[in-house]
mmCIF file of all heavy atoms in Angstrom:
data_model
loop_
_atom_site.group_PDB
_atom_site.id
_atom_site.type_symbol
_atom_site.label_atom_id
_atom_site.label_comp_id
_atom_site.label_asym_id
_atom_site.label_seq_id
_atom_site.Cartn_x
_atom_site.Cartn_y
_atom_site.Cartn_z
ATOM 1 N N HIS A 554 -4.007 -18.127 -34.033
ATOM 2 C CA HIS A 554 -3.941 -19.661 -33.778
ATOM 3 C C HIS A 554 -5.180 -20.331 -34.035
ATOM 4 O O HIS A 554 -5.691 -21.156 -33.327
ATOM 5 C CB HIS A 554 -3.445 -19.820 -32.264
ATOM 6 C CG HIS A 554 -2.170 -19.291 -31.915
ATOM 7 N ND1 HIS A 554 -1.061 -19.769 -32.480
ATOM 8 C CD2 HIS A 554 -1.832 -18.176 -31.135
ATOM 9 C CE1 HIS A 554 0.046 -19.074 -31.924
ATOM 10 N NE2 HIS A 554 -0.415 -18.082 -31.223
ATOM 11 N N ASP A 555 -5.848 -19.885 -35.085
ATOM 12 C CA ASP A 555 -7.098 -20.397 -35.580
ATOM 13 C C ASP A 555 -8.202 -20.374 -34.594
ATOM 14 O O ASP A 555 -9.215 -21.126 -34.557
ATOM 15 C CB ASP A 555 -6.896 -21.808 -36.112
ATOM 16 C CG ASP A 555 -5.950 -21.972 -37.263
ATOM 17 O OD1 ASP A 555 -5.708 -20.950 -37.978
ATOM 18 O OD2 ASP A 555 -5.441 -23.021 -37.524
ATOM 19 N N PHE A 556 -8.074 -19.486 -33.609
ATOM 20 C CA PHE A 556 -9.113 -19.118 -32.641
ATOM 21 C C PHE A 556 -9.350 -20.340 -31.659
ATOM 22 O O PHE A 556 -10.298 -20.392 -30.857
ATOM 23 C CB PHE A 556 -10.475 -18.852 -33.298
ATOM 24 C CG PHE A 556 -10.294 -17.810 -34.372
ATOM 25 C CD1 PHE A 556 -10.446 -18.159 -35.630
ATOM 26 C CD2 PHE A 556 -9.920 -16.406 -33.994
ATOM 27 C CE1 PHE A 556 -10.226 -17.298 -36.673
ATOM 28 C CE2 PHE A 556 -9.832 -15.596 -35.063
ATOM 29 C CZ PHE A 556 -9.998 -15.904 -36.406
ATOM 30 N N GLN A 557 -8.430 -21.248 -31.614
ATOM 31 C CA GLN A 557 -8.634 -22.547 -30.819
ATOM 32 C C GLN A 557 -8.429 -22.347 -29.347
ATOM 33 O O GLN A 557 -7.327 -21.762 -28.955
ATOM 34 C CB GLN A 557 -7.824 -23.640 -31.393
ATOM 35 C CG GLN A 557 -8.267 -24.074 -32.743
ATOM 36 C CD GLN A 557 -7.436 -25.363 -33.200
ATOM 37 O OE1 GLN A 557 -6.938 -26.069 -32.420
ATOM 38 N NE2 GLN A 557 -7.542 -25.635 -34.521
ATOM 39 N N ALA A 558 -9.385 -22.623 -28.587
ATOM 40 C CA ALA A 558 -9.139 -22.637 -27.136
ATOM 41 C C ALA A 558 -8.593 -23.882 -26.530
ATOM 42 O O ALA A 558 -8.214 -24.017 -25.382
ATOM 43 C CB ALA A 558 -10.536 -22.326 -26.447
ATOM 44 N N GLY A 559 -8.763 -24.982 -27.274
ATOM 45 C CA GLY A 559 -8.209 -26.283 -26.960
ATOM 46 C C GLY A 559 -8.917 -27.325 -27.680
ATOM 47 O O GLY A 559 -9.760 -27.038 -28.645
ATOM 48 N N ASN A 560 -8.892 -28.618 -27.187
ATOM 49 C CA ASN A 560 -9.500 -29.763 -27.911
ATOM 50 C C ASN A 560 -10.078 -30.569 -26.730
ATOM 51 O O ASN A 560 -9.474 -30.769 -25.789
ATOM 52 C CB ASN A 560 -8.588 -30.593 -28.767
ATOM 53 C CG ASN A 560 -9.260 -31.729 -29.463
ATOM 54 O OD1 ASN A 560 -9.746 -32.607 -28.896
ATOM 55 N ND2 ASN A 560 -9.353 -31.500 -30.861
ATOM 56 N N VAL A 561 -11.430 -30.926 -26.827
ATOM 57 C CA VAL A 561 -12.029 -31.726 -25.763
ATOM 58 C C VAL A 561 -11.441 -33.005 -25.525
ATOM 59 O O VAL A 561 -11.667 -33.581 -24.450
ATOM 60 C CB VAL A 561 -13.571 -31.784 -26.136
ATOM 61 C CG1 VAL A 561 -14.314 -30.511 -26.152
ATOM 62 C CG2 VAL A 561 -13.726 -32.586 -27.502
ATOM 63 N N LEU A 562 -10.598 -33.553 -26.332
ATOM 64 C CA LEU A 562 -9.903 -34.933 -26.215
ATOM 65 C C LEU A 562 -8.735 -34.650 -25.144
ATOM 66 O O LEU A 562 -8.280 -35.607 -24.597
ATOM 67 C CB LEU A 562 -9.492 -35.436 -27.370
ATOM 68 C CG LEU A 562 -10.614 -35.851 -28.389
ATOM 69 C CD1 LEU A 562 -9.942 -36.418 -29.604
ATOM 70 C CD2 LEU A 562 -11.488 -36.961 -27.771
ATOM 71 N N GLN A 563 -8.336 -33.351 -24.997
ATOM 72 C CA GLN A 563 -7.263 -33.057 -24.158
ATOM 73 C C GLN A 563 -7.646 -32.240 -22.854
ATOM 74 O O GLN A 563 -7.090 -32.305 -21.846
ATOM 75 C CB GLN A 563 -6.129 -32.404 -24.801
ATOM 76 C CG GLN A 563 -5.236 -33.224 -25.594
ATOM 77 C CD GLN A 563 -5.862 -33.436 -26.990
ATOM 78 O OE1 GLN A 563 -6.243 -32.583 -27.655
ATOM 79 N NE2 GLN A 563 -5.746 -34.635 -27.534
ATOM 80 N N LEU A 564 -8.566 -31.389 -23.068
ATOM 81 C CA LEU A 564 -9.024 -30.377 -22.027
ATOM 82 C C LEU A 564 -10.579 -30.406 -21.922
ATOM 83 O O LEU A 564 -11.295 -30.525 -23.011
ATOM 84 C CB LEU A 564 -8.611 -28.910 -22.333
ATOM 85 C CG LEU A 564 -7.068 -28.629 -22.189
ATOM 86 C CD1 LEU A 564 -6.831 -27.196 -22.706
ATOM 87 C CD2 LEU A 564 -6.605 -28.707 -20.726
ATOM 88 N N THR A 565 -11.084 -30.168 -20.766
ATOM 89 C CA THR A 565 -12.616 -29.913 -20.669
ATOM 90 C C THR A 565 -12.825 -28.564 -21.060
ATOM 91 O O THR A 565 -12.023 -27.667 -20.987
ATOM 92 C CB THR A 565 -13.051 -30.297 -19.255
ATOM 93 O OG1 THR A 565 -12.527 -29.278 -18.334
ATOM 94 C CG2 THR A 565 -12.750 -31.661 -18.813
ATOM 95 N N ILE A 566 -14.182 -28.318 -21.371
ATOM 96 C CA ILE A 566 -14.655 -26.927 -21.801
ATOM 97 C C ILE A 566 -14.475 -26.054 -20.518
ATOM 98 O O ILE A 566 -14.085 -24.910 -20.697
ATOM 99 C CB ILE A 566 -16.051 -27.073 -22.257
ATOM 100 C CG1 ILE A 566 -16.131 -27.741 -23.556
ATOM 101 C CG2 ILE A 566 -16.582 -25.701 -22.331
ATOM 102 C CD1 ILE A 566 -17.564 -27.920 -24.133
ATOM 103 N N ARG A 567 -14.657 -26.588 -19.313
ATOM 104 C CA ARG A 567 -14.631 -25.781 -18.042
ATOM 105 C C ARG A 567 -13.065 -25.270 -17.909
ATOM 106 O O ARG A 567 -12.885 -24.112 -17.713
ATOM 107 C CB ARG A 567 -14.961 -26.573 -16.849
ATOM 108 C CG ARG A 567 -14.893 -25.758 -15.596
ATOM 109 C CD ARG A 567 -15.375 -26.603 -14.456
ATOM 110 N NE ARG A 567 -14.435 -27.581 -14.042
ATOM 111 C CZ ARG A 567 -14.776 -28.494 -13.124
ATOM 112 N NH1 ARG A 567 -15.812 -28.317 -12.282
ATOM 113 N NH2 ARG A 567 -13.953 -29.542 -12.845
ATOM 114 N N ASP A 568 -12.151 -26.135 -18.274
ATOM 115 C CA ASP A 568 -10.635 -25.720 -18.194
ATOM 116 C C ASP A 568 -10.443 -24.692 -19.258
ATOM 117 O O ASP A 568 -9.622 -23.764 -19.041
ATOM 118 C CB ASP A 568 -9.815 -26.863 -18.260
ATOM 119 C CG ASP A 568 -9.884 -27.765 -17.031
ATOM 120 O OD1 ASP A 568 -10.234 -27.354 -15.970
ATOM 121 O OD2 ASP A 568 -9.400 -28.911 -17.203
ATOM 122 N N MET A 569 -10.938 -24.913 -20.481
ATOM 123 C CA MET A 569 -10.728 -23.881 -21.501
ATOM 124 C C MET A 569 -11.221 -22.430 -21.185
ATOM 125 O O MET A 569 -10.569 -21.521 -21.369
ATOM 126 C CB MET A 569 -11.298 -24.318 -22.755
ATOM 127 C CG MET A 569 -10.742 -25.650 -23.333
ATOM 128 S SD MET A 569 -11.555 -26.123 -24.891
ATOM 129 C CE MET A 569 -11.476 -27.879 -25.026
ATOM 130 N N LEU A 570 -12.411 -22.512 -20.525
ATOM 131 C CA LEU A 570 -13.086 -21.258 -20.124
ATOM 132 C C LEU A 570 -12.339 -20.561 -19.075
ATOM 133 O O LEU A 570 -12.214 -19.409 -19.029
ATOM 134 C CB LEU A 570 -14.543 -21.292 -19.759
ATOM 135 C CG LEU A 570 -15.442 -21.854 -20.875
ATOM 136 C CD1 LEU A 570 -16.779 -22.120 -20.361
ATOM 137 C CD2 LEU A 570 -15.530 -20.862 -21.880
ATOM 138 N N ALA A 571 -11.786 -21.317 -18.226
ATOM 139 C CA ALA A 571 -10.823 -20.767 -17.108
ATOM 140 C C ALA A 571 -9.713 -20.025 -17.563
ATOM 141 O O ALA A 571 -9.211 -19.248 -16.894
ATOM 142 C CB ALA A 571 -10.561 -21.943 -16.205
ATOM 143 N N ASN A 572 -9.313 -20.356 -18.861
ATOM 144 C CA ASN A 572 -8.073 -19.800 -19.405
ATOM 145 C C ASN A 572 -8.328 -18.926 -20.610
ATOM 146 O O ASN A 572 -7.431 -18.529 -21.318
ATOM 147 C CB ASN A 572 -6.944 -20.935 -19.683
ATOM 148 C CG ASN A 572 -6.428 -21.426 -18.431
ATOM 149 O OD1 ASN A 572 -5.685 -20.769 -17.664
ATOM 150 N ND2 ASN A 572 -6.825 -22.701 -18.191
ATOM 151 N N ALA A 573 -9.609 -18.692 -20.883
ATOM 152 C CA ALA A 573 -10.033 -17.981 -22.093
ATOM 153 C C ALA A 573 -9.464 -16.550 -22.128
ATOM 154 O O ALA A 573 -9.247 -16.077 -23.257
ATOM 155 C CB ALA A 573 -11.535 -18.006 -22.203
ATOM 156 N N HIS A 574 -9.259 -15.968 -20.875
ATOM 157 C CA HIS A 574 -8.823 -14.614 -20.971
ATOM 158 C C HIS A 574 -7.432 -14.463 -21.530
ATOM 159 O O HIS A 574 -6.953 -13.386 -21.881
ATOM 160 C CB HIS A 574 -8.859 -13.990 -19.532
ATOM 161 C CG HIS A 574 -7.952 -14.721 -18.571
ATOM 162 N ND1 HIS A 574 -8.268 -15.984 -18.055
ATOM 163 C CD2 HIS A 574 -6.702 -14.502 -18.127
ATOM 164 C CE1 HIS A 574 -7.356 -16.435 -17.272
ATOM 165 N NE2 HIS A 574 -6.293 -15.525 -17.205
ATOM 166 N N ARG A 575 -6.646 -15.587 -21.673
ATOM 167 C CA ARG A 575 -5.278 -15.568 -22.141
ATOM 168 C C ARG A 575 -5.201 -15.622 -23.709
ATOM 169 O O ARG A 575 -4.231 -15.319 -24.226
ATOM 170 C CB ARG A 575 -4.471 -16.897 -21.605
ATOM 171 C CG ARG A 575 -4.445 -16.845 -20.039
ATOM 172 C CD ARG A 575 -3.735 -18.116 -19.698
ATOM 173 N NE ARG A 575 -3.786 -18.357 -18.177
ATOM 174 C CZ ARG A 575 -2.958 -17.858 -17.374
ATOM 175 N NH1 ARG A 575 -1.991 -17.048 -17.793
ATOM 176 N NH2 ARG A 575 -3.078 -18.049 -16.054
ATOM 177 N N LEU A 576 -6.344 -15.825 -24.281
ATOM 178 C CA LEU A 576 -6.402 -15.967 -25.776
ATOM 179 C C LEU A 576 -6.338 -14.527 -26.406
ATOM 180 O O LEU A 576 -7.128 -13.725 -25.879
ATOM 181 C CB LEU A 576 -7.673 -16.699 -26.201
ATOM 182 C CG LEU A 576 -7.779 -18.204 -25.766
ATOM 183 C CD1 LEU A 576 -9.081 -18.746 -26.183
ATOM 184 C CD2 LEU A 576 -6.718 -19.058 -26.345
#
Side-chain angles (χ1 to χ4, degrees):
H554 301 288
D555 297 343
F556 315 107
Q557 292 185 20
N560 187 289
V561 292
L562 295 174
Q563 283 85 44
L564 289 173
T565 66
I566 290 174
R567 184 175 66 179
D568 288 339
M569 295 181 209
L570 293 174
N572 290 289
H574 63 281
R575 302 177 187 277
L576 298 172

